[in-house]
Amino acid sequence: MNLKSKNFLTLLDYTSEEISYLLKLAKTLKTEKKEGTAHQHLKGKNVVLLFQKDSTRTRCAFEAGAYDLGMGVTYLGPSGSQMGKKESIKDTARVLGRMFDGIQFRGYLHEDVESLGKYSGVPVWNGLTDLYHPTQILADFLTVQEQLGKLKGVHFSFVGDARNNMGNSLMIGAAKMGIHFTAVAPKELWPDEALVKQCKAFAEKSGGSITLEADKWKGTKNADVVYTDVWVSMGESKETWRKRIGALHEYQVDDSMMNNASQDAIFMHCLPAFHGKDTEVGLEIANTFNEDYPTIQNGEMEVTDSVIESSKSVVFDEAENRMHTIKAVMLATMKNME
Ligand code: CP
Ligand code: NVA
C-alpha cells in the first residue's frame, strides 16, 4: 500500500482497502505510543495547520501527532494570516507548499481544501469543511473496531442533522466498509440525494446498506452504535438554533433511545457535545428555549448527560483515537511505507 503524496480530503477518494490500511497503521502507532516506543519516522519535516474555525481535538491531534512523528508544526488560526483576506487560497497553497511538507485545513468551503490540494504540491488533509470531516471517521471506526471487534455487518444509527459534515462522512465511510448505516432524522435533514445514491452503490459492493428513517424508534431499533452530533454546526447562524431545535428536539439521544438499541450498544459523538449548562452556548440556548422545549432545559441537547456519562459511552476513546488515526494519515501520505 503506497499512499505517499495522496491528499486526504474525503473518504470518497479512498477504497475500503486503503481505509483498512490506515486503521491498521493507527493501531500500530497507538500500541507503540502506549509502549513508549518512539516513532519519529518524519524527522526533519514540517507541517502547517490552517484553521478558519475553532478546534480542540483536531488541532491537538495534529500537533501532538506531528511532534511524535518528529516534525515541526506551525499553527495559523482563524485570524492572523493573509489567507482569504488579502491572499487567495490558490496563492496561499503555492506559498505554503514551498515551505512545508504537509498542510492541514479546517474551514468552510470544501472547494478551498480542494484548491490547497491542487496547488500546493504537498499532501493536504481535511480537518473539517462544511461538507466532510474524514479524519473523525477514521477515529470513530478505530473505536468501533476496538469496542465491537469489527466494522463489517455493524448496525450504525446516526441520529440528528444527517446532512452535515459528520452525517455525510459517516455515511460514506460506512458504505465503503460494509456497515449497515441508518440516518435517523426528519426528512428535511436527510443527506443529499446524489450522495445517498453514490453511497448506496458503494454499499452494494461492500455488503453494507444505507437507510433513511424519520421514525427514531425504527431507526435505532437493535442498533449496535448510536451516534449523534451537534444540532447546529460551526459556521451556521445563531438563528439556525430555533429552527433546528424545533426539528430535532424529539431526536435527543436519551436512555430510552439507548434501551431501544441493542443490549450491548455503544454511544458515540465526535464532540464537542451539549449535555449540560456548563458551556456558554449550552447555557444561553437552554435559557432562551427551555419554555418551548422542556427536554433541553438543562442544556442537554443532542444527548442527555446520563447517556454521555454512562458506561455505554465511548466518546473519550474516540477523542484519543483522533491522534492515533491522524498520525497514520500524516505518515502514510508523507512517506513511502512499502
Ligand atoms: N471532533 C472534532 O473535530 O473536534 P474539534 O472541533 O475540537 O477539533
Ligand atoms: N458538525 C460539527 C462537527 C464538529 C466536530 C460542526 O461542523 O461544527
Side-chain angles (χ1 to χ4, degrees), residues 4 47 56-57 77 138-139 174 180 192 201 205 227 232 259 318 320 323:
K4 186 164 185 284
V47 294
T56 297
R57 277 146 291 272
L138 293 183
H180 298 294
D192 176 68
K205 275 199 198 141
Y227 197 117
V232 174
N259 290 336
E318 293 173 79
E320 177 189 333
M323 183 182 70

Side-chain angles (χ1 to χ4, degrees), residues 54-59 106 133 136 234 270-272 322:
D54 292 336
S55 167
T56 297
R57 277 146 291 272
T58 308
R59 174 184 175 176
R106 165 172 287 197
H133 193 10
Q136 178 71 50
M234 289 182 280
C270 53
L271 302 180
R322 294 301 305 286

Side-chain angles (χ1 to χ4, degrees), residues 270-287:
C270 53
L271 302 180
F274 290 113
H275 59 101
K277 278 186 176 172
D278 41 12
T279 64
E280 277 171 36
V281 177
L283 184 63
E284 191 189 334
I285 299 297
N287 290 341

